[in-house]
Amino acid sequence: MKKLSVVFLIVLMATSVVFAQGAAETKVQASGPMKIGVIYVSPPGDMGYSYMHDQGTKAAEAYFGDKIEVIRMEGVPEDDRAAVAMEQLVDAGCKMVFANSYNYQEYMLQVAKENPDVYFEHCSGYLKNDNMSNYFGRMYQMRYLSGIIAGKMTANGKIGYVGAYNTPEVVRGINAFALGVRSVNPTAEVRVVWTNTWFDPSLERQGAVALLDSGCDIIAQHQDTTQPALAAIERGKYAVGYNADFRAIIGDDKVLVSPMWNWHNYMIPTIQSALDGTWKSQEYWGGLEDDMIKLSEISPLVPADVKQLVSKKLDEMAKGTFDVFWGELKDNTGAVKQKAGEKMADGDMLTMDWFVEGVVGKVK
Amino acid sequence: MDFITKLLAATIAMGTSLTYATLGEIYTEKTGILNLGMEGTMLMGALTAFATAYNTGSLFLGLAGAIVIGAIFSAIHAFLSITMRANQVVSGLSITMFGTGLANFLGQRLGPQTNNFNLVGMNLQSKFNNIAIPGLHKIPVIGAFFDVSLLTYALYLIIPFAWFYMYKTKYGLAIRSVGEAPRTASAMGLNVARIRYLYTIIGGMFAGLGGACLSLSFTPSWNDNMTGGKGWIVIALVIFATWNPGKAVLGTLVFGGITSLQFSLQAAGFRMVIPSQFLGFSPYLITFLTLSILTIANQKRKSLFSAPSALGTSFAIDEK
């Protein structure tokens, strides 16, 4: 009896591991299409970060047709299992591997060094190798535009922002958003709470609820679920989404706008260069000029003159006559961080660890 | 005053799920069965509740589904640890790993075809909303208790009943006897296995309900791993409550309160006084303290606050 139970437990544990792993869809084929592996940190059905990446992958599949064959691995944890997943993809014959989350980068670099004839593409990191690029988009440009809308739509000048981690990426997004808010509403403030998680529905909601309780009438977010936005809408307040079009997902016009990604505009050219044999390792940070980022359709609740202002600023950024982090910029203690007339260097943006004027809260 | 009322409201909203699961685990542990499968059972409850409510449009069917799946998962644990007399820790951990994986697996398969059968990103037509009791909900501080969801109101009845049942009825006496001294209880004519089965399964039902509170009320949605470790906090809260159903809510208020407080302080512009990592392990830190205090108290004299003596051990009539 005891032995039987032990056997049963082993089976149970073994199967639970199978269920816990992201399923790899592997198709075995001889030669022909170039095989491309894609690794997502969450299932694309998260309607957030990985979902938008998968939209890019699907666009690439549609564009290249039978010239490429994609193998997806979903929900791969950001630990040594990521390296195993990458090696599996290489073993399955992939000539190119994409991975979409920051903490994959160390593992990708290690696998890239072991497989010099495979192209590696890492999203959102900074490591590179002769056969490994990193790429990301200037999302802050869209954050700024969504800030303009929030600044115009707030009734009491208090806007909440639920932030994940105090990484430069998130801080940059908050600053850009606040600059957008203050460009149209110079006395408004942006209040920040940190959840210290990319993804936790309960904590994300609690952060938003605390902001709403403190009087904020719009909630913006850098989180992976729709909970902060939902918390705002349930109280009859406005929300600004992120990653995907929250207004479509939630089905409520009180979601004013969502900054979104256009990953296919990176994936398609880079896959093309791999097919052509012209692929080169690069550090890519694309913005409006490459159409890497976009705004969702703006809610009908936003007045037409605000929409016009947004498209005007969008044009200026596309033409290069204006950008978000051009001086003069002060931090929220009043110290000048960027002198008037100067443009902030990419390096400073990528290491940003201070809040602009108008943001209530501390980075650390 | 307003600040405290809002803080309390946020704490109660989040704590409802924890309280259900804690009550369930207290009843299970009181009979001597340790169920570490709470995290997996809660997640399966959350998944089942959401999938059922989404596909049928009925919140109450969702609740029923969560209760049934909670019963099934804890029945597996009961079978392994009572009938098979397997190691309860191993069995419980397996339930958690299995339940977590299965819930995430099914979450990608029970949704609508338009969303690739994925439940993530889907919305319910309704959820268990807060119902304000006229007049009462306006009272400062206390009012927070009278503007909550139906699931929380139910707890106001369930908690006193759970306490009364445990300490003032012969059924409760049977539970405690079985958990303290199964051999004696058996000699007295109690069916140890049956009692343990019953309350392990009831405990699982409560865990399922705890999961449903998340997916149908607090964060109405389905997300992978949406319980986020609450099933583990429950294990600590049971100890904090010293296995007393009447005190189950205390730990919930303390731990939920700390989390809510740090968010409120941040929103008010204060420096983050309590690092979130600290919050993450604070339930377990307090568990150490509680356990130490209990041990010291027990050395002085047999305390009423101790763990069930037979907790985690298997029992068979024919075994010496």
Side-chain angles (χ1 to χ4, degrees):
Chain A
M1 215 47 174
K2 277 232 163 118
K3 267 184 194 162
L4 191 63
S5 82
V6 167
V7 169
F8 183 77
L9 280 176
I10 290 167
V11 171
L12 196 66
M13 292 185 74
T15 46
S16 69
V17 169
V18 171
F19 282 123
Q21 296 281 348
E25 299 168 20
T26 41
K27 289 174 205 153
V28 184
Q29 266 188 21
S31 63
M34 181 173 79
K35 286 189 184 172
I36 297 172
V38 183
I39 292 177
Y40 299 133
V41 70
S42 51
D46 67 355
M47 286 290 168
Y49 189 66
S50 292
Y51 172 79
M52 293 312 290
H53 276 270
D54 202 47
Q55 296 298 105
T57 309
K58 282 182 177 158
E61 283 177 305
Y63 180 84
F64 291 107
D66 53 11
K67 281 193 239 161
I68 62 166
E69 182 194 324
V70 174
I71 303 176
R72 291 175 172 79
M73 287 185 123
E74 306 166 359
V76 176
E78 294 178 282
D79 54 29
D80 55 4
R81 281 174 283 183
V84 173
M86 289 171 205
E87 277 158 9
Q88 284 172 341
L89 288 171
V90 171
D91 289 347
C94 290
K95 286 286 157 225
M96 192 169 199
V97 176
F98 289 84
N100 78 344
S101 193
Y102 182 81
N103 287 315
Y104 288 147
Q105 62 177 346
E106 309 272 351
Y107 304 102
M108 183 170 254
L109 183 63
Q110 166 200 331
V111 178
K113 282 179 177 164
E114 288 163 9
N115 297 282
D117 52 343
V118 177
Y119 305 129
F120 289 88
E121 293 280 350
H122 180 261
C123 175
S124 80
Y126 57 86
L127 295 177
K128 66 180 275 207
N129 197 34
D130 288 344
N131 62 333
M132 174 178 163
S133 294
N134 60 62
Y135 66 98
F136 209 45
R138 296 178 187 267
M139 181 50 88
Y140 64 85
Q141 294 176 324
M142 295 300 113
R143 296 275 191 197
Y144 180 87
L145 299 178
S146 67
I148 292 176
I149 296 173
K152 285 281 190 186
M153 297 296 285
T154 178
N156 64 6
K158 285 185 191 169
I159 298 168
Y161 199 112
V162 184
Y165 290 99
N166 55 1
T167 61
E169 179 201 348
V170 183
V171 171
R172 197 166 60 237
I174 293 169
N175 282 341
F177 180 79
L179 289 170
V181 168
R182 302 262 290 189
S183 73
V184 294
N185 193 341
T187 56
E189 58 180 39
V190 175
R191 298 182 171 194
V192 179
V193 300
W194 300 112
T195 59
N196 283 293
T197 173
W198 295 114
F199 173 90
D200 185 318
S202 296
L203 288 178
E204 291 174 30
R205 171 173 285 258
Q206 277 184 289
V209 165
L211 289 165
L212 292 162
D213 281 346
S214 82
C216 295
D217 66 356
I218 299 184
I219 297 293
Q221 65 180 80
H222 194 133
Q223 296 282 175
D224 278 358
T225 84
T226 53
Q227 289 302 327
L230 277 171
I233 284 161
E234 282 168 19
R235 297 219 185 164
K237 310 291 186 196
Y238 294 131
V240 174
Y242 175 53
N243 278 322
D245 187 352
F246 278 17
R247 191 164 69 92
I249 295 173
I250 297 172
D252 194 313
D253 287 340
K254 289 198 282 297
V255 182
L256 300 173
V257 69
S258 308
M260 294 165 67
W261 293 96
N262 271 340
W263 294 112
H264 64 272
N265 285 331
Y266 178 77
M267 293 181 80
I268 291 176
T270 195
I271 292 171
Q272 186 67 55
S273 71
L275 286 167
D276 296 345
T278 58
W279 187 94
K280 274 200 183 76
S281 168
Q282 60 174 338
E283 287 175 275
Y284 175 86
W285 201 23
L288 272 171
E289 70 286 359
D290 292 350
D291 201 17
M292 276 294 285
I293 45 182
K294 65 179 171 190
L295 274 190
S296 69
E297 202 190 319
I298 298 171
S299 163
L301 298 178
V302 177
D305 62 323
V306 180
K307 288 182 185 169
Q308 276 165 12
L309 180 60
V310 169
S311 47
K312 180 169 158 271
K313 282 288 169 189
L314 187 77
D315 282 348
E316 288 179 18
M317 282 195 272
K319 285 186 197 134
T321 57
F322 164 79
D323 208 65
V324 177
F325 294 111
W326 287 5
E328 187 193 48
L329 298 177
K330 284 182 185 164
D331 72 9
N332 64 356
T333 63
V336 175
K337 288 297 221 177
Q338 190 73 32
K339 288 193 194 115
E342 284 185 3
K343 303 171 181 182
M344 189 178 284
D346 280 1
D348 292 335
M349 285 192 233
L350 289 167
T351 54
M352 198 176 271
D353 61 353
W354 49 276
F355 279 143
V356 296
E357 237 178 345
V359 179
V360 180
K362 301 243 164 59
V363 171
K364 280 179 182 133
Chain B
M1 217 46 147
D2 191 43
F3 179 81
I4 295 171
T5 314
K6 285 174 171 166
L7 191 63
L8 192 59
T11 305
I12 296 166
M14 190 223 123
T16 301
S17 155
L18 281 175
T19 310
Y20 272 105
T22 305
L23 276 176
E25 180 71 7
I26 287 176
Y27 264 80
T28 303
E29 289 195 15
K30 270 288 190 184
T31 67
I33 300 296
L34 177 69
N35 186 357
L36 295 182
M38 295 310 260
E39 175 75 4
T41 312
M42 283 177 79
L43 195 62
M44 275 306 290
L47 180 271
T48 312
F50 187 83
T52 311
Y54 178 79
N55 288 307
T56 66
S58 163
L59 289 174
F60 288 95
L61 276 182
L63 277 188
I67 292 172
V68 169
I69 207 74
I72 293 172
F73 267 69
S74 51
I76 298 173
H77 180 64
F79 175 74
L80 289 171
S81 50
I82 301 167
T83 307
M84 309 289 263
R85 287 156 57 201
N87 184 314
Q88 295 180 16
V89 172
V90 178
S91 166
L93 290 176
S94 307
I95 297 278
T96 281
M97 285 193 274
F98 176 68
T100 311
L102 184 63
N104 294 342
F105 174 83
L106 292 175
Q108 292 179 48
R109 279 155 186 84
L110 296 178
Q113 194 172 5
T114 51
N115 191 31
N116 267 333
F117 300 100
N118 211 312
L119 276 175
V120 183
M122 295 294 105
N123 302 301
L124 293 175
Q125 289 154 351
S126 59
K127 63 161 194 149
F128 283 105
N129 280 312
N130 284 4
I131 304 165
I133 294 181
L136 286 175
H137 82 279
K138 291 258 163 77
I139 305 171
V141 184
I142 308 290
F145 287 98
F146 298 103
D147 185 8
V148 296
S149 77
L150 197 61
L151 296 166
T152 312
Y153 283 121
L155 274 179
Y156 300 168
L157 301 175
I158 291 172
I159 293 170
F161 177 76
W163 176 84
F164 181 84
Y165 188 87
M166 180 72 79
Y167 292 108
K168 301 290 167 193
T169 69
K170 65 173 181 178
Y171 308 106
L173 184 62
I175 294 170
R176 286 179 286 140
S177 317
V178 165
E180 290 296 336
R183 188 155 300 280
T184 316
S186 178
M188 297 285 287
L190 290 172
N191 186 336
V192 175
R194 205 180 73 182
I195 290 170
R196 286 182 163 184
Y197 255 99
L198 180 63
Y199 293 102
T200 303
I201 289 172
I202 288 176
M205 290 173 167
F206 273 83
L209 266 177
C213 289
L214 293 175
S215 65
L216 299 183
S217 177
F218 183 57
T219 50
S221 61
W222 165 253
N223 286 109
D224 277 17
N225 297 323
M226 67 183 293
T227 44
K230 290 191 174 58
W232 297 114
I233 294 178
V234 163
I235 306 292
L237 292 187
V238 169
I239 299 168
F240 188 75
T242 61
W243 291 269
N244 183 335
K247 294 183 190 160
V249 72
L250 280 183
T252 308
L253 289 178
V254 170
F255 296 118
I258 296 172
T259 313
S260 303
L261 179 66
Q262 66 108 10
F263 279 128
S264 303
L265 290 176
Q266 284 191 55
F270 287 97
R271 179 183 277 273
M272 206 190 316
V273 278
I274 312 163
S276 66
Q277 292 86 349
F278 180 84
L279 287 169
F281 66 66
S282 63
Y284 310 105
L285 187 68
I286 297 187
T287 304
F288 297 153
L289 292 175
T290 318
L291 283 173
S292 312
I293 293 166
L294 288 182
T295 309
I296 294 164
N298 288 344
Q299 280 166 352
K300 298 249 152 72
R301 63 186 177 88
K302 179 67 183 163
S303 158
L304 284 172
F305 305 126
S306 59
S309 307
L311 183 61
T313 60
S314 60
F315 167 77
I317 290 173
D318 55 356
E319 213 175 52
K320 287 275 147 49

